[in-house]
Amino acid sequence: MPASDVAQQGAWLTTSQGARLRDSDHSLKAGERGPTLLQDHHLREKITHFDHERIPERVVHARGAGAHGVFVGYGNAASICRAGFLAEGVETEVFVRFSTVLGSRGSADTARDTRGFATKFYTSEGTFDLVGNNIPVFFIQDGIKFPDVIHAGKPHPDREIPQAQSAHDTFWDFVSLHTEAQHHTMWNMSDRGIPRSYRTMEGFGVHTFRCADSDGRTSLVKFHWKPRLGVHSLTWEEAQLLGGVDPDFHRRDLADAIEAGAHPQWELGVQVFPDLPEQVFDGIDLLDPTKIVPEELAPVQPIGLLTLTRNPTNYFAETEQVAFHVGNLVPGIDVTDDPLLQARLFSYVDTQLTRLGGPNFSQIPINRPHAPVNDMLRDGLHQHAVHAGVAPYKPNALDGGCPFFARADDGAFVDLPVVVPEATKVRSSPASYDDHFSQVRQFWLSMSPVEKEHIVGAYTFELSKCFEQAVKERQLRALANIDSELCEQVAAGLGLAAPEATEPLVDMPPSPALSMVGETWPTDGRQIGIVVDADAPDESVQSLVEEIRDAGMVALVVAARGGVLADGSTPVQRTFASARSVELDALLVAAAPAPAPDALVSRDAKSGQDAASDLDPRLVLLLTETFRHAKVIGAWGAGVRALEAQGISESSAGVVVGDSAASVLGRVADLLGQHRAWDRFAASL
């Protein structure tokens, strides 16, 4: 950009008009002890700007994290979509914003919630926004209910609590009354509701879109983002701990990974369906946003690769001001008559008018298209363009007819000529929308035993936070229509009787693609803690750190004190006082350090974990938490004694013991590809 468009230039502090300042610590007064003078223009400018530097936060998706990147098309989508950015080898700049739905900007990252996954493609044909979530279905089938579900999920209006949580009466009152919400609710209660990181999170376009190839042939598609690192989650205890230990965990993880060069990647894929008049595939209504098409019925076909390569320079200017809209489309991609999607087409533009101060939000740098713009839109608040010409209307002769209309051959966006069947205006939905339970049951049946245990725990916790007995009982009736065992387990946890199903249970075939357990994934960017004795030289530690780094992972040396190790060169990144298992993916134990001088309960409450132990009590807590959360643990030398002291046996799943650091690391890395030592979780379901 030209220098005049870039903020914060030059070496001198200035006013907003460029006048250099010699002091910004003292206001202009009538004498040292006299009143402040109204003529102090710098004070007035500084305070006035500060008083107005906040804009309304988003009603939903207020807490977000963003990054810049590039999308490269594979070229294999030409048979279904003529969009230029999907052509082979075409590189398109993107900006991606991840977010939580319910919480305010100041809420914690790891609350159980749906996550937004919104991608702005700055294509040569105009901006395309794929505005989706990490869950492929939504709570409602018709956009007119959107204010209702959000009002129900937000904090109670009398006390403004609970923040960023669905564990309260109004949410469960809504979803138990509107049983179309049960599918999305089940995904939220699964481990998908507490992702390990944005880097290990799937994304979905949610809706069905209509695509057209260069000959005008149309197909219906659903968009998917598949993370290269696999789909992983936190345990519920980890999510709770992180809410206090590091409420910015997901935001920090994303930024650190990009800065470290472990650039997150996702493949964009599509499920493709024939564009038939009924818009149904294998009995599944493609316009119902509460339904999925299992990948076993319609495989996801990769069509391009997204890589996030650069963190924002300024959070407000980019992540906070970025404005998405599902109506930002490019030739070859169009919407369908999904009633939730149709309402979103209105809502997104409308909300930006309030948030960003007027209709010219597309001129904010993060929102500017990377294609030529000649829109004939004029004036309004925050108009930055200096428009030339005297005839901002069509047709005109005074400006020579400029700008001109484009033909299809010129790359014009053409609304696809979809036949709209003759019908009577009604306020109703098709009969296919009435099935609220079969796909929820399919999701449950597709889970591994440990994932089922987590779902039972989530429902039990959430409903236990409700005060109204009628709400709990009504939701149990909904669970009975999903699965009797699920209902019985949750009812037992609530101390209530399990009701009978009111609808027949359909034995749906499991969809393995819905489970997060059972595959092996790359370990790029995983964080490995190394417990050492800071004052006992260990020549293997420095080489171990380098080996971990060479494998594309991150090593965090953990010791009783900060500084460097006794070898004089290896830095300590975490102390026993600051380290918690929740930020680590695996733990290597090279020592069994005795309690350090600061291991005092009066100074660090974690020191009360095991006062009688020969180990530092903070290390005891680190070991037991890591083991409890089914993370891989490796040990050698004195570290083996540390594990044995806590009853952590080599025979336990995911525990590796060896003679050297090198031999242990290799096996730990292999196990880490499964994310957790899942067999360590005993499951009764």
Side-chain angles (χ1 to χ4, degrees):
M1 292 187 295
S4 59
D5 287 356
V6 181
Q8 313 306 315
Q9 304 172 71
W12 310 107
L13 178 66
T14 73
T15 68
S16 63
Q17 302 302 313
R20 295 178 183 176
L21 293 165
R22 65 181 185 86
D23 186 344
S24 190
D25 294 330
H26 305 92
S27 56
L28 191 64
K29 308 178 189 71
E32 288 185 350
R33 302 179 63 82
T36 299
L37 300 177
L38 185 62
Q39 75 179 64
D40 189 345
H41 58 91
H42 174 47
L43 167 68
R44 290 165 59 194
E45 177 185 75
K46 187 174 180 181
I47 293 297
T48 298
H49 194 282
F50 173 77
D51 290 342
H52 295 268
E53 69 182 22
R54 290 291 179 267
I55 64 174
E57 67 175 33
R58 290 167 168 86
V59 177
V60 290
H61 298 274
R63 180 170 181 80
H68 298 269
V70 63
F71 177 84
V72 180
Y74 291 162
N76 59 341
S79 61
I80 60 166
C81 186
R82 65 172 176 267
F85 76 98
L86 297 176
E88 183 176 6
V90 172
E91 294 189 5
T92 301
E93 291 185 65
V94 300
F95 185 80
V96 178
R97 187 178 189 272
F98 304 103
S99 55
T100 52
V101 172
L102 292 178
S104 67
R105 274 190 60 188
S107 59
D109 279 347
T110 57
R112 184 179 294 280
D113 197 0
T114 305
R115 265 71 181 178
F117 193 133
T119 308
K120 186 176 288 292
F121 297 82
Y122 301 98
T123 87
S124 61
E125 298 176 297
T127 300
F128 170 54
D129 287 346
L130 183 54
V131 195
N133 289 329
N134 73 321
I135 292 175
V137 292
F138 202 63
F139 289 106
I140 53 175
Q141 296 166 323
D142 193 311
I144 199 170
K145 294 183 181 181
F146 188 75
D148 299 308
V149 67
I150 298 304
H151 289 166
K154 284 286 189 176
H156 288 212
D158 54 348
R159 302 183 184 183
E160 186 62 10
I161 56 174
Q163 176 63 242
Q165 298 180 55
S166 56
H168 55 93
D169 287 87
T170 57
F171 173 80
W172 288 100
D173 183 43
F174 180 89
V175 300
S176 61
L177 287 168
H178 290 73
T179 51
E180 67 198 61
Q182 291 295 317
H183 196 185
H184 190 142
T185 302
M186 173 68 83
W187 280 74
N188 248 11
M189 295 303 105
S190 78
D191 291 340
R192 302 273 186 154
I194 43 175
R196 160 62 178 80
S197 66
Y198 293 132
R199 298 182 293 131
T200 58
M201 190 177 80
E202 271 187 302
F204 303 90
V206 179
H207 308 286
T208 299
F209 291 81
R210 179 172 280 107
C211 289
D213 65 12
S214 56
D215 295 323
R217 293 186 297 263
T218 61
S219 303
L220 299 179
V221 304
K222 284 183 175 290
F223 291 105
H224 295 246
W225 288 112
K226 296 287 188 181
R228 279 284 179 88
L229 297 180
V231 186
H232 305 307
S233 67
L234 300 167
T235 66
W236 178 229
E237 185 183 46
E238 286 179 307
Q240 291 176 301
L241 287 170
L242 282 165
V245 173
D246 187 1
D248 306 305
F249 180 69
H250 286 157
R251 185 180 293 184
R252 189 186 315 281
D253 176 271
L254 179 68
D256 285 354
I258 294 172
E259 189 171 310
H263 296 150
Q265 291 185 315
W266 291 260
E267 277 194 312
L268 179 64
V270 289
Q271 288 178 298
V272 183
F273 317 101
D275 189 2
L276 303 175
E278 60 272 19
Q279 298 175 95
V280 170
F281 180 80
D282 201 41
I284 301 168
D285 193 326
L286 297 175
L287 299 189
D288 183 349
T290 68
K291 302 292 193 303
I292 65 168
V293 177
E295 294 183 25
E296 292 74 22
L297 297 179
V300 176
Q301 305 171 43
I303 59 174
L305 181 66
L306 165 67
T307 306
L308 297 183
T309 58
R310 180 167 58 91
N311 286 313
T313 301
N314 181 274
Y315 179 89
F316 176 81
E318 298 168 276
T319 307
E320 185 64 14
Q321 288 196 124
V322 66
F324 295 95
H325 177 32
V326 289
N328 288 345
L329 303 165
V330 291
I333 304 176
D334 207 343
V335 298
T336 58
D337 293 333
D338 174 338
L340 176 60
L341 176 57
Q342 291 287 314
R344 294 179 74 194
L345 289 168
F346 168 80
S347 178
Y348 280 70
V349 171
D350 191 49
T351 193
Q352 310 303 346
L353 296 175
T354 297
R355 266 189 20 86
L356 300 175
N360 293 309
F361 55 83
S362 63
Q363 296 182 28
I364 297 172
I366 192 64
N367 296 322
R368 290 177 188 167
H370 292 196
V373 173
N374 200 345
D375 54 22
M376 301 189 83
L377 305 176
R378 292 295 187 267
D379 306 340
L381 286 170
H382 310 303
Q383 175 59 258
H384 300 293
V386 181
H387 294 100
V390 297
Y393 51 84
K394 292 288 289 183
N396 73 71
L398 297 181
D399 279 342
C402 299
F404 305 113
F405 288 115
R407 300 183 303 271
D409 292 345
D410 300 316
F413 181 88
V414 177
D415 297 285
L416 299 177
V418 179
V419 175
V420 179
E422 181 180 353
T424 303
K425 289 190 294 185
V426 294
R427 288 188 182 271
S428 64
S429 298
S432 59
Y433 280 37
D434 294 338
D435 176 11
H436 298 166
F437 296 110
S438 65
Q439 287 206 343
V440 200
R441 177 166 173 76
Q442 182 177 45
F443 186 91
W444 168 259
L445 295 175
S446 302
M447 295 294 101
S448 66
V450 66
E451 289 173 303
K452 288 183 176 180
E453 295 283 2
H454 292 170
I455 290 172
V456 168
Y459 274 110
T460 305
F461 173 85
E462 296 259 327
L463 291 170
S464 71
K465 294 293 185 178
C466 295
F467 291 97
E468 294 292 337
Q469 193 76 355
V471 171
K472 301 178 187 179
E473 293 173 351
R474 192 186 311 121
Q475 179 58 31
L476 285 175
R477 288 196 293 273
L479 294 182
N481 289 331
I482 298 168
D483 186 83
S484 57
E485 185 177 34
L486 169 62
C487 181
E488 290 166 3
Q489 294 288 329
V490 175
L494 298 174
L496 299 174
E500 296 293 327
T502 59
E503 297 189 12
L505 298 181
V506 181
D507 284 328
M508 300 287 290
S511 171
L514 299 177
S515 173
M516 292 190 287
V517 177
E519 295 190 53
T520 300
W521 302 96
T523 58
D524 300 25
R526 296 303 185 91
Q527 299 204 141
I528 313 296
I530 308 173
V531 174
V532 301
D533 188 334
D535 299 314
D538 188 337
E539 297 178 357
S540 67
V541 173
Q542 182 59 43
S543 60
L544 180 63
V545 169
E546 294 173 358
E547 190 174 349
I548 290 173
R549 186 184 303 120
D550 291 343
M553 298 181 286
V554 178
L556 296 176
V557 176
V558 185
R561 59 165 176 77
V564 296
L565 300 184
D567 64 9
S569 61
T570 306
V572 176
Q573 285 99 354
R574 299 290 186 275
T575 65
F576 292 158
S578 64
R580 293 301 289 268
S581 68
V582 287
E583 68 174 325
L584 305 174
D585 295 292
L587 185 65
L588 301 178
V589 187
D598 66 336
L600 306 172
V601 177
S602 57
R603 188 175 299 177
D604 186 348
K606 298 191 296 299
S607 297
Q609 176 71 14
D610 187 356
S613 173
D614 292 335
L615 298 176
D616 190 293
R618 283 85 54 89
L619 174 57
V620 172
L621 179 63
L622 182 63
L623 289 173
T624 54
E625 280 186 351
T626 304
F627 186 81
R628 189 166 66 247
H629 298 151
K631 295 180 178 178
V632 180
I633 301 175
W636 62 94
V640 178
R641 179 167 57 82
L643 297 190
E644 292 173 345
Q646 301 311 310
I648 299 175
S649 170
E650 180 181 358
S651 61
S652 299
V655 176
V656 177
V657 171
D659 297 327
S660 66
S663 65
V664 169
L665 177 61
R667 287 186 287 163
V668 165
D670 289 341
L671 291 171
L672 190 55
Q674 301 173 36
H675 182 54
R676 295 187 193 275
W678 293 106
D679 291 342
R680 201 183 297 164
F681 286 127
S684 63
L685 298 176

